[in-house]
Amino acid sequence: MVRIEADALRALADRIAGPMAGAFNRAVELLYGCQGRVVVTGMGKSGIVARKIAATLSSTGTPALFMHPVEAVHGDLGMVVRGDIVLTLSASGETEEILRLLATLKRLRVPLVAMTCDNTAPIAPAVAGGSARATRSTLAAAADVALDCSVAEEACTLGLAPTASTTTMLALGDALAMELAEKRGFKEEDFANLHPGGKLGKRLARVESLMHSGEAVPRVAPQTTMPDVIYEMSRKKLGVTAVVAGEKLVGIISDGDLRRLLEKRGKDVLDLTAGECMTKNPKTIAAGEFAASALAVMEEKKITSLAVVDGDGRLEGIVHLHDLWGTEMV
């Protein structure tokens, strides 16, 4: 059964690279130039696939929504306005609920892209002694662009349940969405902005959403004495303090730095200032970077904290290894 669907996908790939290349590219250009939203519709199993395609488009930079064709003829068709594009899915291309929408869509002059599983080849010419034979379905013939999702056979042993056909529809929808994302220059940070929740959102979290800022940031001046430095570090409980001159970061003092200084100089350390004990030019990160980037720096340098600075070197916060635990990366 799986091989039947795999064969259907291979055939679809061959069509996209071959005879359907022009139609596929026209569909991409239509969707790319859409000034409104892509309204995806379908009935039954095709409708379930349509919902997924709408979700994939929306999550990769192309605003889209699903419209149920039955609800559409009872008022929801008002969600379609000029500037939108309608993407319709129908295995037969003759789904009654879909065909009811055509007159209104034509009146609104909304471009129509159809995915059907009928043979969407051009109308066959007349043969001697006979008449021309139309091989397109009503939906495919009415569409501005018709995309062929036809399959040699369904995986269903009865040949009735939509299986291979819905798989090809889903794959074709994904292909359109990915082509559009690439054409729009959709990047990892754009994906992160659209996926703030769940495990994926945590893994793509920004440093600015995790860092300690404001009064929670331990900071001292270069002339601060070490007893006051130790007090600030203990009070803020991050095992580190930033050393700032004005607002600019000039150094870092960590628990490890303190231990090494005590081993080397003993109680004389208490007579020193933060400027004399700090690590100059510490590793930093920008607030807009991914949490994953902060983790990579910490692992590479074997440190547990990073100062967060802006483009001018001003201290904005501190991100600690503990802050990354909730992202499920650690």
Side-chain angles (χ1 to χ4, degrees):
M1 303 303 174
V2 174
R3 287 192 178 89
I4 291 174
E5 299 201 13
D7 288 341
L9 291 176
R10 278 189 285 269
L12 173 65
D14 290 341
R15 283 199 301 277
I16 293 174
M20 200 170 73
F24 181 83
N25 291 332
R26 287 196 301 277
V28 170
E29 291 300 327
L30 263 180
L31 295 168
Y32 180 70
C34 178
Q35 299 300 306
R37 297 123 344 135
V38 179
V39 180
V40 192
T41 188
M43 192 69 192
K45 305 298 187 296
S46 296
I48 295 171
V49 175
R51 287 180 187 274
K52 194 275 180 185
I53 292 174
T56 300
L57 287 167
S58 294
S59 71
T60 52
T62 299
L65 56 89
F66 172 75
M67 178 179 70
H68 195 290
V70 174
E71 298 298 333
V73 296
H74 290 281
D76 282 6
L77 199 51
M79 68 177 65
V80 182
V81 297
R82 289 191 182 182
D84 291 345
I85 287 180
V86 174
L87 174 60
T88 58
L89 283 69
S90 170
S92 67
E94 301 293 346
T95 306
E96 182 181 350
E97 293 84 355
I98 298 289
L99 297 185
R100 286 181 194 169
L101 308 178
L102 293 181
T104 301
L105 296 179
K106 292 296 181 182
R107 178 174 55 80
L108 291 174
R109 297 181 183 176
V110 174
L112 180 65
V113 177
M115 289 186 193
T116 63
C117 296
D118 66 309
N119 181 359
T120 58
I123 295 177
V127 295
S131 58
R133 182 173 59 86
T135 56
R136 281 186 169 183
S137 64
T138 304
L139 179 59
D144 294 275
V145 181
L147 299 174
D148 182 10
C149 296
S150 59
V151 297
E153 60 179 320
E154 296 285 11
C156 169
T157 55
L158 299 175
L160 299 174
T163 46
S165 56
T166 47
T167 298
T168 58
M169 281 183 171
L170 183 60
L172 184 54
D174 285 343
L176 288 171
M178 295 306 101
E179 192 72 20
L180 285 166
E182 184 174 344
K183 197 173 178 66
R184 295 184 195 282
F186 194 76
K187 294 181 172 58
E188 189 178 37
E189 52 265 32
D190 301 313
F191 196 79
N193 289 335
L194 296 177
H195 296 76
K199 185 174 182 179
L200 180 60
K202 291 177 182 178
R203 294 192 59 165
L204 295 175
R206 306 282 183 160
V207 168
E208 61 191 345
S209 69
L210 300 171
M211 70 183 187
H212 299 266
S213 59
E215 289 300 314
V217 178
R219 68 177 77 200
V220 296
Q223 63 271 24
T224 304
T225 60
M226 287 308 292
D228 289 335
V229 169
I230 294 170
Y231 174 74
E232 178 71 356
M233 291 173 66
S234 299
R235 189 165 68 95
K236 300 294 177 66
K237 296 182 173 65
L238 288 181
V240 68
T241 187
V243 184
V244 294
E247 291 297 321
K248 290 201 172 183
L249 179 74
V250 294
I252 282 284
I253 301 174
S254 68
D255 284 341
D257 294 330
L258 279 177
R259 286 194 300 272
R260 286 185 287 273
L261 283 167
L262 285 169
E263 289 172 1
K264 184 177 180 180
R265 305 188 60 163
K267 63 181 182 178
D268 291 343
V269 170
L270 298 179
D271 298 326
L272 301 176
T273 63
E276 294 172 309
C277 297
M278 69 184 184
T279 297
K280 297 179 181 179
N281 302 314
K283 294 299 296 183
T284 62
I285 195 165
E289 292 287 333
F290 289 121
S293 300
L295 178 61
V297 174
M298 290 182 191
E299 290 177 337
E300 179 188 356
K301 300 299 179 182
K302 295 181 171 57
I303 55 179
T304 58
S305 296
L306 276 175
V308 183
V309 298
D310 65 13
D312 295 321
R314 289 189 292 264
L315 181 68
E316 293 190 313
I318 288 179
V319 61
H320 194 279
L321 183 63
H322 293 170
D323 303 323
L324 303 178
W325 284 354
T327 66
E328 300 180 22
M329 292 185 298
V330 181

